[in-house]
Amino acid sequence: MVKTVAVIGAGCSGLGAVKICLEEGLEPTCFEKSDEIGGIWRYKEEVEEGITSIYKSLVSNTSKEMSCYSDFPMPDDFPNYLPNSKFLEYFKLYAEHFGLMKHIRLRTKVCSVKKQPDFLTSGQWEVVTETDGKQESAIFDAVLVCSGRYVVPALSLESFRGIKRFKGKYFHSREYKHPDGFQGKKVLVVGVGNSGVDIATEISRVAAKVFISSNRGAWVISRLSEGGYPWDIWFTTRFKTWIRLSLPLFLVNWWIERFLNKRFDTSNYGLQRDSSLWKDPLVSDDLPLCIIRGFLSVKPGVAEFAENSVTFQDGTSEDIDIVILSTGFLFTFPFLDESVVKISNNKVLLYKQVFPPELEKPTLAFIGLIQPIGSILVTSEMQARWVTRVLKGLNKLPTVEEQRKELAWRSKMITKRYGTLKGNAFQVDIIEYVDEIASEIGVKPNFFRLLLSDPRLALEVFFSCCTSPQYRLTGPGKWDGARNAIMTKWERMLKPMKTRVVKSRSRRSPLSIVLGLLCLFALFTSIFLSID
């Protein structure tokens, strides 16, 4: 019987895991290497070895209603998109509310996690930690790895021809903190991920010129969507997910590309990507504005570095003073032996992206090692809820052979849907994936039952944005405040913006209500036809 659990990391995944362990009657001890909780949302002016590092201006890409723990909504006066300091404040409120800090050991590095000699029967682990230079060992019934994946930079300098003779400065994006020191410089940012674009647009306001290099382009989405609401409020709904999963893939890709190009045509900005090569959209309000103002230019991939310049794959060259390599991160678990979990081509094969399938006892799990099109916090919390049920024996994993088959199927599905680009191996549609895990433990909301018992809530659950309290309406971990949290989300979204009293308008027009009813009728019709 699992009782004691070691949780590695006190970021959003680790904090949720500690709380869920307590909820399930387990005894967690969380080890955090840094001096504060919060993980990637914790800002420090200096870059610390082996600890996540962010830039000062980092703001969330998912809105607060779509990024909160399922039984702890964010305060209604918090902005819809949170600066890192506000996200850290939310984590501290969460930890205080549920009494988590007494289970967290700060400034404690996990040195090793090894199987006990009797692992085949006990499933236990020896965890060696170090605090202030002093090591100690403890035995745990289970280990949850919540250490994140933004620590070790993937530099791959050998792939950049001539970079060793480049006399300017170059460094990985994790070392960037703020635009001080870039005044009047010519800067190249390699990579069009969210961090690279944030950094490039911020620097472009003070630099002489900024270039951003990309081999494949990007799909760009604004934080603001219809009516000025956050983009994920309109995009992340059960109804739209149902449509996406029901239509042929080529139609889905066409629809998504059309949706993402609605604000501006990326082909006119040098950003258009091949629609057959899926990459999750980057969220940026400033990128097209910086391009159209001439502050920033998009270039193709780098061909070669010279002493003071860079030649691109189209043959053009630019004088460059500073290069920032936004080239991603490597998966590393230095405290685990390769026999426990093997990393190959920066991939880790895990059953449902959580459990190592070859492990004799399911007492080691990875939380948050996934790339949802949405909030990682919501995804990792659901993973923790499932994992703790498995640890207690309330849920069973399939056989190793069945896990292998599921892994093979999922790999083919991901390749078909998202392609084979870097990072796509961990890509998931957030509602589809979280629903899959929620079904394992019986907390997925049942639309038809809700329709009979609470029609208004049912329509909100299916047609409106899928917020995390939906997974607290029923089953293990049911929360009495879930319905109210779902029905009052619009008020929480609007409150921080309504600082001047004006005449309010109805959020839903009669036309939208009629369309909603027509969609509901179409849904019932398709279900009955499929039954016949």
Side-chain angles (χ1 to χ4, degrees):
M1 179 66 181
V2 169
K3 191 67 176 175
T4 58
V5 181
V7 179
I8 304 175
C12 71
S13 298
L15 289 174
V18 171
K19 189 265 182 184
I20 299 299
C21 283
L22 294 172
E23 185 178 296
E24 290 290 343
L26 303 176
E27 298 174 6
T29 302
C30 181
F31 303 105
E32 170 54 47
K33 189 175 182 180
S34 68
D35 60 359
E36 196 171 23
I37 64 173
I40 198 170
W41 297 100
R42 163 189 167 275
Y43 175 78
K44 291 290 182 180
E45 185 66 25
E46 66 281 359
V47 179
E48 300 167 292
E49 182 66 28
I51 297 176
T52 54
S53 176
I54 60 169
Y55 40 98
K56 192 173 185 178
S57 60
L58 178 65
V59 176
S60 64
N61 289 331
T62 54
S63 63
K64 69 174 182 179
E65 288 302 312
M66 306 299 289
S67 307
C68 61
Y69 294 108
S70 58
D71 55 356
F72 194 73
M74 291 195 186
D76 55 8
D77 60 345
F78 271 35
N80 281 283
Y81 290 105
L82 277 69
N84 57 79
S85 58
K86 275 293 181 184
F87 231 127
L88 185 60
E89 183 181 344
Y90 172 68
F91 290 138
K92 290 179 178 178
L93 291 171
Y94 180 75
E96 180 182 2
H97 181 79
F98 291 107
L100 306 184
M101 291 308 300
K102 60 186 176 183
H103 301 278
I104 300 172
R105 292 177 54 183
L106 300 175
R107 303 181 189 86
T108 301
K109 173 186 175 181
V110 175
C111 303
S112 67
V113 176
K114 295 180 180 179
K115 296 177 182 178
Q116 279 288 89
D118 62 346
F119 182 82
L120 289 177
T121 55
S122 70
Q124 291 182 323
W125 301 85
E126 180 191 25
V127 179
V128 177
T129 59
E130 182 179 311
T131 307
D132 298 327
K134 182 181 179 181
Q135 287 195 354
E136 61 179 279
S137 174
I139 306 301
F140 290 91
D141 297 320
V143 176
L144 305 186
V145 181
C146 309
S147 53
R149 53 191 181 89
Y150 299 108
V151 177
V152 179
L155 280 172
S156 303
L157 293 180
E158 66 279 359
S159 64
F160 296 104
R161 204 169 94 190
I163 196 168
K164 294 296 183 180
R165 67 173 181 264
F166 179 64
K167 290 185 176 180
K169 184 179 180 182
Y170 62 87
F171 55 90
H172 192 269
S173 56
R174 79 180 296 267
E175 297 182 42
Y176 175 81
K177 292 296 179 180
H178 39 66
D180 297 351
F182 290 88
Q183 289 83 354
K185 302 292 184 181
K186 292 183 178 180
V187 182
L188 169 66
V189 177
V190 179
V192 286
N194 283 295
S195 295
V197 168
D198 280 354
I199 293 168
T201 53
E202 182 171 70
I203 291 174
S204 72
R205 291 173 173 81
V206 300
K209 184 68 177 181
V210 173
F211 302 92
I212 191 164
S213 169
S214 170
N215 283 316
R216 300 186 180 93
W219 284 340
V220 185
I221 193 168
S222 171
R223 286 181 173 85
L224 295 184
S225 187
E226 182 182 341
Y229 288 95
W231 73 270
D232 49 3
I233 294 300
W234 296 121
F235 187 80
T236 314
T237 74
R238 292 185 179 280
F239 176 61
K240 289 179 180 176
T241 298
W242 173 69
I243 291 176
R244 287 197 300 270
L245 297 179
S246 301
L247 292 174
L249 190 59
F250 76 92
L251 281 179
V252 174
N253 285 342
W254 172 83
W255 177 75
I256 290 177
E257 184 174 4
R258 186 172 178 270
F259 172 78
L260 294 177
N261 277 334
K262 195 173 182 180
R263 181 184 172 209
F264 71 100
D265 189 338
T266 52
S267 64
N268 293 332
Y269 286 69
L271 291 166
Q272 179 68 23
R273 67 176 301 112
D274 183 346
S275 60
S276 66
L277 298 174
W278 170 266
K279 188 76 170 66
D280 54 305
L282 68 87
V283 181
S284 177
D285 303 288
D286 297 331
L287 180 58
L289 296 176
C290 289
I291 294 173
I292 204 169
R293 291 170 179 169
F295 294 172
L296 187 153
S297 295
V298 180
K299 303 292 287 185
V302 172
E304 187 176 11
F305 283 87
E307 289 185 352
N308 300 297
S309 64
V310 176
T311 300
F312 299 95
Q313 290 174 359
D314 61 357
T316 60
S317 296
E318 298 289 348
D319 292 337
I320 298 295
D321 300 308
I322 302 173
V323 176
I324 301 176
L325 301 170
S326 183
T327 48
F329 294 83
L330 299 173
F331 291 114
T332 59
F333 308 102
F335 45 81
L336 284 172
D337 188 79
E338 194 175 88
S339 63
V340 175
V341 59
K342 186 176 181 180
I343 302 171
S344 177
N345 296 322
N346 210 30
K347 296 179 183 178
V348 184
L349 292 179
L350 301 170
Y351 175 65
K352 295 191 185 299
Q353 312 288 44
V354 175
F355 287 100
E358 307 294 338
L359 203 60
E360 299 89 345
K361 293 281 187 178
T363 55
L364 174 74
F366 293 82
I367 308 294
L369 200 63
I370 200 166
Q371 183 64 49
I373 305 172
S375 171
I376 187 68
L377 183 152
V378 174
T379 314
S380 62
E381 184 193 29
M382 184 56 69
Q383 289 176 329
R385 293 177 70 183
W386 176 47
V387 167
T388 52
R389 304 280 293 178
V390 171
L391 295 180
K392 292 175 65 176
L394 299 173
N395 284 87
K396 302 291 185 182
L397 296 185
T399 65
V400 173
E401 186 59 32
E402 289 172 326
Q403 291 184 51
R404 287 174 182 162
K405 287 180 180 178
E406 201 269 0
L407 272 168
W409 169 83
R410 187 176 296 275
S411 178
K412 289 180 181 178
M413 182 270 290
I414 289 175
T415 300
K416 179 181 178 182
R417 187 182 293 180
Y418 304 120
T420 57
L421 297 182
K422 180 182 177 182
N424 283 0
F426 292 87
Q427 194 80 55
V428 294
D429 181 288
I430 187 168
I431 294 180
E432 180 186 28
Y433 177 80
V434 175
D435 273 359
E436 180 183 335
I437 302 298
S439 296
E440 294 281 339
I441 55 178
V443 297
K444 177 185 174 182
N446 187 307
F447 172 69
F448 294 105
R449 287 181 184 173
L450 282 176
L451 196 60
L452 294 174
S453 62
D454 194 336
R456 186 184 172 198
L457 177 61
L459 293 175
E460 196 73 23
V461 165
F462 190 74
F463 289 104
S464 186
C465 54
C466 182
T467 55
S468 57
Q470 289 192 13
Y471 300 102
R472 292 282 181 177
L473 289 169
T474 187
K478 180 181 177 181
W479 174 45
D480 291 339
R483 186 188 189 279
N484 182 64
I486 294 168
M487 303 304 292
T488 57
K489 59 181 178 289
W490 299 101
E491 287 75 13
R492 285 193 300 277
M493 282 183 225
L494 293 175
K495 182 174 180 180
M497 299 185 292
K498 287 194 169 184
T499 53
R500 172 176 168 262
V501 179
V502 296
K503 184 178 180 181
S504 62
R505 296 179 178 179
S506 174
R507 182 173 59 82
R508 290 190 178 95
S509 67
L511 178 60
S512 68
I513 296 173
V514 172
L515 289 175
L517 292 173
L518 288 174
C519 290
L520 185 62
F521 174 76
L523 173 63
F524 276 114
T525 302
S526 67
I527 292 172
F528 289 137
L529 288 175
S530 64
I531 293 174
D532 293 339

